[in-house]
Amino acid sequence: MFRSSGTYRRRAVTLAAVAALGAGLLAGCADDSDDETGSSGGGKGGNKGGTTITVGTFGVFGYKQAGLYDEYVKLHPDINIEETSIERNENYYPQLLTHLGAGSGLADIQAIEIANIKEITTTQADKFVDLSKAPGVKKENWLSWKWAQGSTEDGRTIGLGTDIGPMAICYRKDLFQQAGLPTDRTEVAKLWAGDWNKYIETGKRYMKKAPGDTTFVDSAGGVYNAVISGNAKRYYDESGKIIYKDSPAVKEAWNLATTASEDKLTAKLQQFQKSWDQAYANGKFATVSCPPWMLGYIKEKSGDKAKDKWDVAAAPRPGNWGGAFIGVPKAAKHQEEAIKLAAWLTAPEQQAKVFEKQSSWPSSQAAYSLPQVGGAKHPYFDNAPTGKIFAEAAKGIPTQILGPKDAIIGQNISDIGLLQVDQQGKSPKDAWKAATKTIDNALDQ
């Protein structure tokens, strides 16, 4: 299933926070209060009379949780920081657009979700400060594709990258062993190295000796999202034209997903629904595509009984699932101070600290050489070297051509089209017609 990363972050972090999973947690979007809009002041209260920098986010970006606000305030005694978080990006983003249009009501720093960054850089760029040459900002610290996503065509950087979601494959070693497949993560990765078709072929091998009533993968939508997320050109071309109906990447992902469904490799589930959670608990499927933030979710839902049964292997091709940015509006009350804070929060050392606390994978490639990131291992997943696996995946992600309606297109392909194939038994042809009709109606509005 394809949705904006904020949807996943919100649901997953809520569960992870309950479990207090430490390095297995994700950087997500659960709010800090019982209200839809919660004010969470990090580091405020110690510097009376100082300048108060406001930060507007959707959910939990991890800055308060990792103690970064308090640390910054200690380093800058004349500064206070107040963060206001709205749980859902679908509620946060329309408010951001409204405030940008009015030129008022904006925080000094505003978060931007990856699903919205293209619209911001193309239609709202003049309302944000260019951070490309801000003090403390070094372009080379970021992955090139992440820097490109937050920048305009004329080279202005509107958003500094926070986290990303490089994908791997999480798999059940016990189920693989019973199905006669290798269990060592290096050997497992070789089964499908470089080719999602090999992943499907591995699924067919698994199903020949599948233990009990298990299946190879959770859902057709999950397969689609994993495959499409590793392509540079998906729903739009370089000129900004919508091309999803003729896109080779969409065709590949759709065909692989529907093949997985029709060959009965999927558990016919919809991700982040109760039935999906229960299938984790009961060990009903053997593989799932997983970015770093998914690991905490898997641990929470699979429970202690599955410890060391799950492992992590490299995906067939690198892909990205999730991520965000922070920017400074020109209407910010404390623009100069906000620029300094934004640069500091997204520096490699701070991204590493957020990763340690929330498992939010850094978009700063300079952070990968730090031991708490590059050397990270996950005890629940049999001490899988997740730092190494996700760092390699992150470096191989292509610079994707993003469009303002990516989320609408991708979500309907999964939630309308692939669900009809997976759960209703519709033919791929009929399901594609239904999905495209819904998408086109939405785009015309």
Side-chain angles (χ1 to χ4, degrees):
M1 183 176 66
F2 180 94
R3 292 182 189 266
S4 68
S5 61
T7 300
Y8 293 123
R9 293 162 113 194
R10 178 179 71 253
R11 292 172 177 169
V13 82
T14 300
L15 294 167
V18 171
L21 302 180
L25 298 180
L26 62 148
C29 293
D31 67 4
D32 295 317
S33 70
D34 294 329
D35 301 325
E36 179 63 26
T37 303
S39 177
S40 54
K44 75 172 187 176
N47 303 322
K48 293 182 180 180
T51 298
T52 297
I53 303 174
T54 55
V55 181
T57 70
F58 51 96
V60 174
F61 268 58
Y63 299 142
K64 178 184 176 184
Q65 290 73 15
L68 296 189
Y69 292 152
D70 290 332
E71 183 178 347
Y72 192 81
V73 166
K74 289 180 181 178
L75 294 171
H76 303 82
D78 58 334
I79 295 294
N80 296 301
I81 302 172
E82 290 186 358
E83 179 188 281
T84 299
S85 177
I86 294 177
E87 181 184 4
R88 296 172 177 83
N89 182 54
E90 52 263 40
N91 294 326
Y92 166 88
Y93 186 61
Q95 291 187 28
L96 175 60
L97 291 179
T98 298
H99 292 313
L100 287 170
S104 62
L106 291 156
D108 296 314
I109 293 175
Q110 294 280 177
I112 307 165
E113 214 264 354
I114 189 173
N116 309 122
I117 190 63
K118 183 63 175 181
E119 184 173 16
I120 291 294
T121 59
T122 54
T123 68
Q124 305 291 328
D126 290 342
K127 297 170 185 175
F128 280 87
V129 174
D130 177 10
L131 299 172
S132 62
K133 295 179 175 61
V137 172
K138 298 179 180 180
K139 178 180 178 180
E140 62 271 20
N141 281 346
W142 277 269
L143 293 159
S144 60
W145 61 265
K146 183 70 172 182
W147 181 269
Q149 285 180 338
S151 302
T152 63
E153 291 185 2
D154 62 6
R156 289 173 292 160
T157 299
I158 305 306
L160 297 177
T162 57
D163 61 317
I164 59 173
M167 285 196 288
I169 300 293
C170 292
Y171 67 99
R172 286 281 299 247
K173 292 189 298 183
D174 56 329
L175 299 182
F176 266 45
Q177 183 177 32
Q178 293 175 62
L181 294 174
T183 59
D184 176 78
R185 62 181 69 97
T186 301
E187 295 303 313
V188 168
K190 290 179 181 178
L191 293 173
W192 48 65
D195 190 347
W196 280 103
N197 286 287
K198 292 180 181 179
Y199 177 75
I200 299 300
E201 291 302 316
T202 301
K204 293 177 182 179
R205 287 179 57 189
Y206 176 89
M207 294 307 298
K208 289 180 180 179
K209 296 182 180 180
D213 58 352
T214 65
T215 60
F216 179 66
V217 66
D218 63 324
S219 64
V223 173
Y224 176 85
N225 183 45
V227 178
I228 199 68
S229 296
N231 287 274
K233 189 187 299 186
R234 305 175 302 166
Y235 307 131
Y236 289 77
D237 66 13
E238 296 87 345
S239 70
K241 179 184 177 181
I242 295 176
I243 60 164
Y244 81 94
K245 290 181 182 177
D246 301 309
S247 167
V250 172
K251 181 178 180 180
E252 177 196 29
W254 175 269
N255 288 342
L256 287 169
T258 54
T259 296
S261 179
E262 292 188 311
D263 288 352
K264 304 185 186 307
L265 307 185
T266 77
K268 303 184 183 302
L269 298 166
Q270 186 174 8
Q271 292 184 329
F272 296 100
Q273 301 299 312
K274 289 183 179 179
S275 57
W276 191 62
D277 295 344
Q278 192 60 46
Y280 272 122
N282 295 330
K284 291 298 185 179
F285 54 85
T287 70
V288 64
S289 299
C290 56
W293 53 259
M294 181 78 83
L295 303 186
Y297 193 99
I298 292 173
K299 177 180 177 180
E300 169 65 18
K301 287 306 177 183
S302 298
D304 292 341
K305 64 181 180 182
K307 186 179 186 298
D308 293 333
K309 293 181 179 179
W310 280 101
D311 209 327
V312 185
R317 293 199 307 263
N320 183 66
W321 184 5
F325 305 79
I326 57 174
V328 177
K330 289 183 178 178
K333 184 178 180 180
H334 304 294
Q335 188 182 114
E336 183 178 348
E337 293 86 350
I339 291 172
K340 293 177 182 178
L341 176 59
W344 187 84
L345 288 173
T346 55
E349 296 78 10
Q350 276 61 257
Q351 290 201 28
K353 292 170 186 175
V354 174
F355 169 73
E356 276 193 292
K357 182 65 177 178
Q358 298 288 122
S359 213
S360 173
W361 189 259
S363 62
S364 171
Q365 60 184 346
Y368 302 165
S369 61
L370 300 176
Q372 64 266 48
V373 179
K377 295 184 178 181
H378 203 300
Y380 185 83
F381 292 79
D382 197 18
N383 284 319
T386 50
K388 180 179 179 181
I389 292 170
F390 289 121
E392 288 300 313
K395 294 173 183 178
I397 296 170
T399 302
Q400 294 177 332
I401 299 172
L402 301 179
K405 305 300 181 183
D406 275 0
I408 291 175
I409 297 170
Q411 181 176 336
N412 281 291
I413 287 176
S414 286
D415 289 0
I416 300 297
L418 290 172
L419 272 183
Q420 289 188 1
V421 176
D422 219 14
Q423 296 186 359
Q424 300 175 27
K426 293 279 187 71
S427 70
K429 182 178 180 180
D430 289 342
W432 178 255
K433 287 182 179 179
T436 56
K437 181 179 180 180
T438 302
I439 291 168
D440 290 346
N441 287 338
L443 296 177
D444 288 338
Q445 295 178 1

